[in-house]
C-alpha cells in the first residue's frame, strides 16, 4: 500500500484544482506574434500575488510589452548546495470555442476533471507547484536546497521571448542551478492493475521550424507553363510529408523499449518497434515520433488570383531531430527538398539529453513509488520541445517530471494542444503529493 498522505498537505490538495481553474481563466494565448498574443503579464502578476500571499517574493521581467516571465527563489536549508530549478510556462496555444464541449478558457470542473486550454500543457504543473509552495510557506517547510521557481512566457513559440530571453538577459536569477524539472514527464501508462509505467522525460528532440520558398516565372493561368513555383514547392512538400526517415534508437529509447519488453513480456524488433509500441495505446504516437527525425509540412502560402501563376510559393515545415542527429537531419532534408528551393530557419534549437541516474532520479523514483506501489519509473524521449532547451545552455541537467497518475482509459496524448483538453482532479492531488515528497528530499 502507498504511504499515508501527510496531513499538512490537505490544504495544497484542496486548492490545486481551484488554482488551475483560475489560471486557465486567464487567456494566455500565444499566437507567435506579440501584437495578437494575450495575457502573459496578467498571469505572471496573478502568480506573483499568490506567492506574495504567503510571503514569497518574486520578480517579473518583460522581454517585450506584455511578454512577462516570473522568477522566485525559495531558500533551502543548505544554501551552499546546488539549486534546483522548477520551471513552467504560462502561455498556451490558441483554441476555437466552437470546437469544444466547454469554453476553453472557462476552467470548468466537470466529471472529476478540470477542463480548458492549458489543463495539461502546462498550467496543471504550474498549479501543482503553486499549491505546494504555498502550503510549505504556511506550514514552515524548508527544502534541503534552494529551489528556483520560473513561470515563463512564450514557450509555445519556441521560448525566444521567455526562457531564452531570461537565460540571455538575467542568468543571475538561476545562479547555482545545476538541475531542472518541468513538463511532459512523470505521467502513468497502465500495464495492468498492479503495474504502471511512469515516463520520466530525459531527452527531447531538437526544434527545426523552417520556411521553404520556391521561385518561378509568373504568368497567365491559361498558358502551358513549365516553370511554376507552386508545382516545384508542392513536389518538395510532398516528398517531405510522405518520407519515413530511418529508425534511430538513442540511449533513452533503448532503455524505454527494454522496460516495455519486460513489463509486457514481449520482444521488440529494434528495426520495427512501432508494432510493439501500439500496446501503449494513444501515447504510442508520441513515443513513436521519438524513434526518428521528422519533418511535417504545416502551412502553405502561394498565389493571389485563380488565373495568375505566382512567381513565389512558400511552405512552413515543422522539423524535429534526435539528439546527436543534427548533421544527419540536415543531409536528410537536403535530399528530400531537392534543388531550386530556398530554406530559411524560423526556429532552430538543440536537442536535449541526459541520463536516467543520479540522486535526483533516485528521489523521483522514490516519490512515485511512495504514492503508487505499482509505479515503475522509466526514461523516455519526448517528440516535442520544452524550455529545457534554454536552460541546458546554463549547464543544467533537465528532466520532464510533472507527475500524474492517469486513468487507464484516458487518451492523454490527444489532449496536448487538443480539443477538450482536461486533467483529472485526483491526478492533480496525486501530483502535489509526489512533488512534495520529491522536493523535500531532492
Amino acid at each position: 500500500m502507498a504511504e499515508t498522505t501527510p496531513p499538512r498537505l490537505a490544504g495544497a490538495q484542496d486548492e490545486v484544482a481551484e488554482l488551475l481553474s483560475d489560471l486557465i481563466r486567464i487567456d494566455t494565448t500565444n499566437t507567435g506574434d506579440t501584437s495578437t498574443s494575450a495575457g502573459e503579464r496578467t498571469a505572471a502578476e496573478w502568480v506573483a500575488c499568490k506567492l506574495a500571499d504567503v510571503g514569497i517574493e518574486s520578480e517579473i521581467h518583460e522581454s517585450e510589452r506584455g511578454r512577462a516571465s516570473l522568477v522566485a527563489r525559495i531558500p533551502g536549508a543548505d544554501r551552499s548546495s546546488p539549486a534546483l530549478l522548477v520551471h513552467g510556462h504560462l502561455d498556451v496555444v490558441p483554441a476555437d470555442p466552437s470546437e469544444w464541449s466547454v469554453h476553453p478558457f472557462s476552467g470548468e470542473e466537470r466529471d472529476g476533471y478540470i477542463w480548458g486550454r492549458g489543463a495539461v500543457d502546462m498550467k496543471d504543473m504550474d498549479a501543482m507547484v503553486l499549491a505546494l509552495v504555498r502550503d510549505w510557506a504556511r506550514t514552515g517547510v524548508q527544502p534541503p536546497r534552494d529551489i528556483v521557481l520560473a513561470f515563463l512566457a512564450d514557450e509555445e513559440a519556441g521560448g525566444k521571448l521567455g526562457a531564452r530571453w531570461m537565460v540571455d538577459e538575467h542568468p543571475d536569477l538561476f545562479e547555482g542551478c545545476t538541475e531542472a524539472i518541468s513538463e511532459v514527464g512523470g505521467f502513468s501508462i497502465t500495464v495492468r492493475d498492479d503495474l504502471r509505467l511512469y515516463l520520466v522525460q530525459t531527452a527531447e528532440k531538437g526544434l527545426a521550424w523552417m520556411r521553404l520558398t520556391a521561385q518561378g516565372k509568373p504568368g497567365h493561368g491559361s498558358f502551358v507553363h513549365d516553370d511554376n513555383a507552386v508545382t516545384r514547392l508542392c513536389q518538395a512538400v510532398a516528398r517531405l510529408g510522405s518520407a519515413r526517415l530511418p529508425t534511430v534508437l538513442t540511449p533513452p529509447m533503448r532503455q524505454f523499449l527494454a522496460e516495455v519488453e519486460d513489463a509486457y513480456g514481449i520482444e521488440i524488433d529494434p528495426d520495427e518497434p512501432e508494432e510493439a509500441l501500439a500496446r501503449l495505446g494513444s501515447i504510442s504516437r508520441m513515443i513513436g515520433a521519438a524513434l526518428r527525425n521528422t519533418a511535417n509540412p504545416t502551412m502553405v502560402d502561394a498565389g493571389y488570383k485563380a488565373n495568375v501563376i505566382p512567381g513565389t510559393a512558400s511552405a512552413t515545415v515543422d522539423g524535429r531531430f534526435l539528439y546527436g542527429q543534427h548533421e544527419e537531419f540536415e543531409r536528410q532534408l537536403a535530399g528530400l527538398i531537392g534543388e531550386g528551393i530556398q530554406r530559411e530557419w524560423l526556429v532552430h534549437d538543440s536537442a536535449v539529453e541526459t541520463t536516467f541516474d543520479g540522486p535526483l532520479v533516485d528521489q523521483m523514483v522514490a516519490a512515485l513509488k511512495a504514492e503508487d506501489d505499482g509505479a515503475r519509473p522509466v526514461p523516455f524521449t519526448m517528440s516535442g520541445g520544452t524550455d529545457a532547451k534554454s536552460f541546458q545552455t546554463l549547464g543544467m541537467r533537465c528532466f520532464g517530471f510533472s507527475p500524474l497518475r492517469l486513468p487507464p482509459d484516458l487518451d492523454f496524448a490527444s489532449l496536448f494542444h487538443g480539443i477538450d483538453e482536461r486533467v483529472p482532479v485526483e491526478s492533480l492531488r496525486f501530483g502535489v503529493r509526489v512533488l512534495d515528497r520529491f522536493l523535500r528530499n531532492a
Side-chain angles (χ1 to χ4, degrees):
M1 297 292 291
E3 298 177 23
T4 303
T5 302
R8 61 179 175 73
L9 279 181
Q13 292 187 85
D14 288 344
E15 78 167 356
V16 64
E18 180 181 355
L19 289 172
L20 176 56
S21 291
D22 289 348
L23 190 50
I24 287 172
R25 292 186 190 108
I26 303 172
D27 180 353
T28 53
T29 297
N30 184 356
T31 63
D33 179 353
T34 294
S35 66
T36 54
S37 295
E40 288 168 329
R41 176 79 196 196
T42 302
E45 290 176 347
W46 179 86
V47 172
C49 287
K50 292 299 179 183
L51 293 174
D53 283 346
V54 293
I56 300 174
E57 297 180 356
S58 62
E59 299 179 19
I60 294 176
H61 297 272
E62 287 188 339
S63 55
E64 294 182 359
R65 184 174 178 82
R67 311 308 299 273
S69 296
L70 174 147
V71 176
R73 184 178 288 256
I74 298 175
D78 182 0
R79 302 304 303 277
S80 66
S81 293
L84 173 66
L85 173 64
V86 180
H87 62 97
H89 61 86
L90 295 170
D91 62 319
V92 298
V93 296
D96 182 351
S98 68
E99 298 176 331
W100 286 57
S101 301
V102 303
H103 194 283
F105 298 105
S106 67
E108 181 176 333
E109 182 172 351
R110 178 196 291 187
D111 302 326
Y113 288 76
I114 303 297
W115 297 62
R117 177 59 85 219
V120 301
D121 187 10
M122 62 166 296
K123 291 181 177 181
D124 57 341
M125 178 64 164
D126 296 335
M128 291 190 295
V129 171
L130 269 178
L132 178 60
V133 299
R134 281 164 55 85
D135 188 278
W136 280 2
R138 289 190 295 257
T139 58
V141 173
Q142 186 176 30
R145 55 168 161 165
D146 283 12
I147 293 178
V148 176
L149 306 178
F151 296 84
L152 301 156
D154 199 42
E155 190 275 345
E156 295 293 2
K160 181 181 178 181
L161 299 179
R164 183 51 53 92
W165 184 83
M166 292 292 289
V167 163
D168 290 343
E169 300 297 326
H170 299 282
D172 55 298
L173 295 175
F174 309 105
E175 181 72 29
C177 290
T178 57
E179 298 165 313
I181 66 165
S182 189
E183 60 179 325
V184 200
F187 59 90
S188 68
I189 297 174
T190 299
V191 179
R192 55 180 186 265
D193 289 345
D194 64 345
L195 178 59
R196 279 161 293 281
L197 300 180
Y198 282 84
L199 279 59
V200 176
Q201 186 204 138
T202 60
E204 62 182 55
K205 295 173 81 174
L207 195 58
W209 294 349
M210 67 198 85
R211 179 181 291 114
L212 306 182
T213 303
Q215 304 288 339
K217 184 178 180 180
H220 200 288
S222 67
F223 296 170
V224 175
H225 206 85
D226 59 4
D227 187 19
N228 190 316
V230 176
T231 302
R232 183 174 298 114
L233 176 76
C234 288
Q235 288 170 342
V237 166
R239 288 192 295 270
L240 280 173
S242 60
R244 181 184 172 90
L245 299 177
T247 298
V248 178
L249 294 184
T250 59
M253 289 306 294
R254 288 186 183 278
Q255 287 182 269
F256 176 77
L257 293 175
E259 293 283 358
V260 170
E261 282 186 318
D262 182 67
Y264 287 90
I266 59 175
E267 291 188 10
I268 297 178
D269 182 348
D271 295 322
E272 293 290 339
E274 283 94 338
E275 182 178 348
L277 290 181
R279 289 174 177 262
L280 303 180
S282 62
I283 204 71
S284 63
R285 289 177 291 149
M286 180 187 294
I287 302 299
L291 294 170
R292 54 177 51 83
N293 302 324
T294 57
N296 288 308
T298 54
M299 294 188 289
V300 177
D301 182 25
Y304 51 89
K305 199 171 186 297
N307 62 347
V308 177
I309 297 171
T312 301
S314 65
T316 302
V317 177
D318 182 341
R320 312 277 174 149
F321 57 92
L322 293 163
Y323 187 82
Q325 282 281 302
H326 179 261
E327 291 184 1
E328 176 62 21
F329 184 56
E330 290 273 6
R331 287 191 287 268
Q332 291 168 342
L333 287 176
L336 290 167
I337 293 170
E339 300 294 329
I341 304 289
Q342 179 184 350
R343 182 179 61 187
E344 171 194 2
W345 295 124
L346 301 176
V347 178
H348 194 271
D349 214 339
S350 60
V352 177
E353 185 173 294
T354 189
T355 53
F356 191 59
D357 56 18
L360 193 74
V361 170
D362 292 343
Q363 291 303 327
M364 292 179 192
V365 172
L368 286 166
K369 288 187 172 182
E371 288 297 331
D372 180 1
D373 49 16
R376 183 186 295 183
V378 299
F380 89 110
T381 298
M382 193 182 74
S383 59
T386 74
D387 284 330
K389 297 181 185 306
S390 295
F391 292 116
Q392 76 158 354
T393 66
L394 295 179
M396 298 183 209
R397 291 182 73 202
C398 297
F399 298 87
F401 189 66
S402 177
L404 297 170
R405 178 172 173 173
L406 299 170
D409 58 348
L410 180 64
D411 184 358
F412 189 57
S414 71
L415 300 179
F416 288 87
H417 298 186
I419 296 167
D420 287 343
E421 185 179 349
R422 62 197 183 278
V423 65
V425 173
E426 285 304 313
S427 298
L428 296 170
R429 295 170 66 90
F430 173 87
V432 168
R433 298 194 302 269
V434 172
L435 286 171
D436 174 68
R437 293 184 185 278
F438 168 65
L439 293 173
R440 281 193 291 119
N441 295 285

